Amino acid sequence: MASLVAYDDSDSEAEPQPAGGGNDADRMTDVSGVDRPSGQGFSPCAADITNEGAPLAQHSPGEELRGERLPLVRLWKNDPGSCPSQRLQWPRKEPEVPCPSGALPHPSSLWTSHAPASHVPWAAACLKQVKPLWAAPNAPSHAQSMSETTHRHASSLQRKRGEDCVVPYTPKRLRQLQALSSETLRTPDPEPQGPPADRAPAPLRMPPVVSEAIQPHLKSQFRETKVPRKVLFHLRGHGGPVNSIQWCPVFSKSHMLLSTSMDKTFKIWNAVDSGRCLQTYLLHSEAVRAARWSPCGRRILSGGFDFTLHLTDLETGTQLFSGRSDFRITTLKFHPKDPNIFLCGGFSSEIKAWDIRTSKVVRSYKATIQQTLDILFLQEGSEFLSSTDASTRDSADRTIIAWDFRTSAKISNQIFHERYTCPSLALHPREPVFLAQTNGNYLALFSAVWPYRMSRRRRYEGHKVEGYAVGCECSPCGELLVTGSADGRVLMFSFRTARRACTLQGHPQACLGTTYHPVLPSVLATCSWGGDIKIWQ
């Protein structure tokens, strides 16, 4: 800690003199700015400081600087020899906080080991406000506020030093954590998003009867899709972007909607009758990028950026399968014929086939790529397509790759010849064709049989992708195509003519997912980067 030393050096820089001149020996100025004659309010200076070069006349018993030319100025009140030089202005008198006379000193304190009961510690004395020599009588308001803040801080430190006179150092990171915790206490607690991660989710109580809205449409075989006109429900509850949505594939339970989000959760909604969240699942420590209903409609397979895979039974709330991948997961697809096999792709050059019964990888499909964007099964599961980000400036091969599921061999990698990536793929329900969403802001149409030729006549455009994982889908009847857009719109096209049938102003942020209801003729669900879901009818 810095010490206050009195200097009487004639070579020092010139200092401002009081207005009006006068003899310095006859007049001294304290911090309050009031002129007093020498000898009033101060102890005699001759007892402590003599002419320049003369030895000291008296010393305190505990002083260690004996024989020094420039002595240390002592600030104790009960010391008769503590008088500053005329060149050093004395601070104003303030109420001192002495240590309690009846209290024993703290054994770890160095300041109170040999000090009298009325003695003010050196650390506390040095924290008193001292007016600098260069301060003007009318100091600016900023300096006053700084001195007041320092004085309040010093007062709190003095109260803390009432027992042991030592304040421990608090690291900056700990002080920031304490400030954040105090702000958290002042703000109300947010609504819990789901059960804790160390506890299994509660069972989902599925109603034994079919929804009244779905029951009349179960017996009809041909379901003509109509263009929705209004918002039926606006579902809010996710704390991050909603990556994907999917209706339950079982028609009698298709009132349930699955949604995955970047807030580490996936939710199940009653999106037909009430628009209420039925259950929230917090099983991952990172963002959930992909989740799929099992073909039976009683289980959900989820994968996230935490490299983990979980198969959750909705009726019991238990995890039937748990696995760990060596890459972040972005897409999952069940095999259309064997529900115990699923494909997993993500931030890797490999696509892996897992068997739920053994919890092991049964096949691997490796290509010279960096990331798998989407997977689509063809020919009842004997082949599948993978969409990758392997396009370059000179070539677009490996953008869409066709694989043989059993042999892990490549069937073709020269399917898409334009230099765009395809973030999502969709299969037509009635014709052997599939759709590819491209970053060229259009939907491309391909044949679903070898050699997978692209149609040059029909191209569905008018929306924006702009790097988002914007999804696309066909209606159950196959007459309409729907896609989201980076500007939040929802666009519908006629499959036969490629003309735009309808445009909905869906969301304020990018619309990522769109899916038709498998039974109801005019119900459409959309999700956005803003974290909300809309049900249209």
Side-chain angles (χ1 to χ4, degrees):
M1 185 175 292
S3 303
L4 299 177
V5 182
Y7 291 95
D8 193 4
D9 192 358
S10 60
D11 296 335
S12 61
E13 296 180 1
E15 300 179 1
Q17 298 294 337
N23 190 2
D24 293 338
D26 297 335
R27 186 177 299 271
M28 297 180 65
T29 305
D30 66 352
V31 111
S32 61
V34 181
D35 295 341
R36 298 181 182 178
S38 62
Q40 296 183 7
F42 300 95
S43 300
C45 297
D48 198 24
I49 303 177
T50 60
N51 294 333
E52 181 175 357
L56 296 177
Q58 296 180 2
H59 289 285
S60 175
E63 184 172 355
E64 300 177 0
L65 301 177
R66 182 180 300 277
E68 295 289 339
R69 181 171 177 267
L70 298 177
L72 182 68
V73 177
R74 294 177 296 276
L75 302 179
W76 295 292
K77 180 179 179 181
N78 57 352
D79 191 357
S82 59
C83 176
S85 171
Q86 297 179 3
R87 302 284 299 277
L88 180 66
Q89 298 186 2
W90 194 258
R92 72 163 63 108
K93 297 180 180 181
E94 296 182 359
E96 300 175 353
V97 184
C99 296
S101 58
L104 294 177
H106 197 276
S108 63
S109 175
L110 301 178
W111 307 107
T112 58
S113 56
H114 302 289
S118 60
H119 168 60
V120 178
W122 175 260
C126 290
L127 287 174
K128 290 184 179 181
Q129 180 182 0
V130 180
K131 183 177 180 180
L133 297 175
W134 57 83
N138 298 327
S141 59
H142 177 69
Q144 293 179 1
S145 62
M146 292 288 291
S147 62
E148 292 175 1
T149 305
T150 306
H151 176 65
R152 288 195 299 268
H153 183 61
S155 301
S156 63
L157 291 178
Q158 290 179 2
R159 288 193 299 269
K160 178 70 177 176
R161 294 188 179 96
E163 296 181 358
D164 55 0
C165 303
V166 175
V167 176
Y169 172 74
T170 305
K172 182 179 179 182
R173 180 176 298 178
L174 183 58
R175 293 197 302 269
Q176 294 176 351
L177 292 177
Q178 292 175 353
L180 290 176
S181 61
S182 61
E183 294 178 359
T184 305
L185 291 176
R186 289 193 298 267
T187 57
D189 295 336
E191 183 180 357
Q193 296 292 334
D198 57 350
R199 188 176 63 184
L204 180 64
R205 299 185 181 273
M206 300 182 181
V209 296
V210 184
S211 172
E212 296 181 357
I214 299 176
Q215 180 68 39
H217 300 275
L218 292 178
K219 298 180 180 180
S220 60
Q221 297 181 357
F222 180 76
R223 303 176 181 90
E224 182 181 1
T225 304
K226 299 179 181 179
V227 176
R229 298 298 181 183
K230 62 179 181 179
V231 177
L232 182 62
F233 296 112
H234 194 175
L235 311 180
R236 301 182 180 93
H238 281 293
V242 180
N243 296 313
S244 63
I245 50 178
Q246 183 191 8
W247 296 101
C248 182
V250 179
F251 290 166
S252 61
K253 302 177 182 179
S254 58
H255 63 282
M256 294 186 296
L257 180 71
L258 170 66
S259 63
T260 62
S261 174
M262 301 292 284
D263 63 357
K264 309 175 186 179
T265 67
F266 60 93
K267 293 177 180 287
I268 298 178
W269 309 79
N270 185 347
V272 173
D273 300 322
S274 62
R276 184 172 58 91
C277 179
L278 301 179
Q279 188 60 270
T280 300
Y281 295 86
L282 181 57
L283 305 177
H284 298 269
S285 59
E286 296 294 337
V288 182
R289 184 64 177 83
R292 304 291 298 181
W293 287 93
S294 65
C296 63
R298 295 191 301 267
R299 303 169 184 175
I300 290 180
L301 177 66
S302 60
F305 283 0
D306 57 351
F307 304 88
T308 60
L309 294 161
H310 298 291
L311 182 66
T312 307
D313 189 281
L314 303 181
E315 295 180 352
T316 62
T318 59
Q319 295 183 18
L320 305 178
F321 161 80
S322 292
R324 184 171 183 84
S325 177
D326 54 356
F327 53 83
R328 300 181 187 272
I329 302 165
T330 59
T331 179
L332 296 170
K333 288 295 173 65
F334 277 101
H335 194 275
K337 293 298 182 179
D338 190 356
N340 295 314
I341 303 295
F342 67 89
L343 292 179
C344 172
F347 288 86
S348 174
S349 60
E350 287 185 293
I351 300 174
K352 296 186 177 181
W354 289 74
D355 193 329
I356 296 175
R357 296 163 293 188
T358 60
S359 302
K360 294 181 180 179
V361 177
V362 294
R363 291 184 185 89
S364 294
Y365 309 86
K366 189 173 182 180
T368 55
I369 58 175
Q370 296 180 354
Q371 180 183 354
T372 301
L373 303 179
D374 200 3
I375 297 173
L376 180 65
F377 275 101
L378 302 176
Q379 304 295 331
E380 297 183 351
S382 61
E383 302 173 3
F384 72 91
L385 302 173
S386 65
S387 172
T388 68
D389 61 348
S391 66
T392 60
R393 180 178 298 180
D394 299 329
S395 175
D397 59 341
R398 304 184 307 276
T399 301
I400 299 178
I401 304 176
W403 302 85
D404 186 271
F405 176 76
R406 296 179 180 178
T407 62
S408 304
K410 295 180 184 177
I411 300 176
S412 176
N413 60 353
Q414 299 289 335
I415 300 175
F416 187 47
H417 300 281
E418 298 187 18
R419 292 187 292 272
Y420 298 111
T421 57
C422 301
S424 63
L425 305 173
L427 185 65
H428 196 276
R430 297 185 179 273
E431 297 188 12
V433 294
F434 70 91
L435 296 167
Q437 180 77 268
T438 70
N439 276 310
N441 299 331
Y442 66 89
L443 286 169
L445 185 65
F446 295 86
S447 172
V449 295
W450 191 86
Y452 315 105
R453 298 186 183 276
M454 185 176 68
S455 175
R456 300 291 182 179
R457 297 181 179 180
R458 279 185 281 183
R459 177 175 291 189
Y460 309 88
E461 53 188 355
H463 58 287
K464 297 180 181 180
V465 179
E466 297 180 356
Y468 289 97
V470 178
C472 60
E473 192 180 272
C474 300
S475 64
C477 65
E479 297 297 329
L480 292 177
L481 307 180
V482 61
T483 177
S485 180
D487 54 9
R489 295 179 300 161
V490 181
L491 288 82
M492 299 181 189
F493 300 93
S494 172
F495 173 72
R496 304 295 177 184
T497 62
R499 294 181 180 177
R500 191 183 307 179
C502 179
T503 301
L504 302 176
Q505 299 297 329
H507 303 271
Q509 299 190 36
C511 180
L512 302 183
T514 56
T515 176
Y516 284 104
H517 195 276
V519 178
L520 299 179
S522 61
V523 174
L524 174 71
T526 61
C527 64
S528 76
W529 188 260
D532 60 332
I533 303 170
K534 286 186 178 182
I535 310 299
W536 304 79
Q537 185 179 14

